[in-house]
Amino acid sequence: LARPFEASGFSNVSVENVIKPLEIAGGVEQAVSLAYATPIAPKLRDLPQAAQIQFRDGLTECLRQLTEDGTTMGKMASNLLTARKPV
């Protein structure tokens, strides 16, 4: 991830993988609806109705295993890149 920035003249390039707790207060229903707010949403909506139901049911079952006290728990990971560009 850092190489393109270094090749473009950036210095002090640093990449850190940040993992934070993910809590969805709306529980499983809200977590399932979030799938339809991601870049794959158009593909999900294009699925035949039976496949959409199967997807929702499977995701709901997986998320129930991550739910505690009505809050869906998990982890969210992101790469954080910092660099300096000389002026």
Side-chain angles (χ1 to χ4, degrees), residues 1-85:
L1 188 60
R3 284 189 192 141
F5 289 88
E6 293 166 340
S8 296
F10 286 85
S11 63
N12 296 11
V13 179
S14 170
V15 179
E16 178 185 1
N17 184 261
V18 179
I19 300 173
K20 298 283 187 177
L22 176 64
E23 298 179 13
I24 302 172
V28 172
E29 293 77 20
Q30 183 181 9
V32 170
S33 69
L34 285 176
Y36 286 84
T38 68
I40 66 165
K43 294 198 182 291
L44 292 174
R45 286 191 291 273
D46 286 346
L47 291 172
Q49 188 65 29
Q52 285 192 44
I53 291 168
Q54 185 178 12
F55 170 77
R56 283 183 171 272
D57 289 348
L59 185 56
T60 297
E61 182 57 35
C62 288
L63 292 171
R64 279 202 175 103
Q65 296 173 27
L66 301 173
T67 301
E68 185 177 298
D69 298 328
T71 300
T72 300
M73 305 288 288
K75 295 193 184 291
M76 178 173 250
S78 182
N79 289 318
L80 177 62
L81 184 139
T82 56
R84 294 193 181 272
K85 178 77 172 176

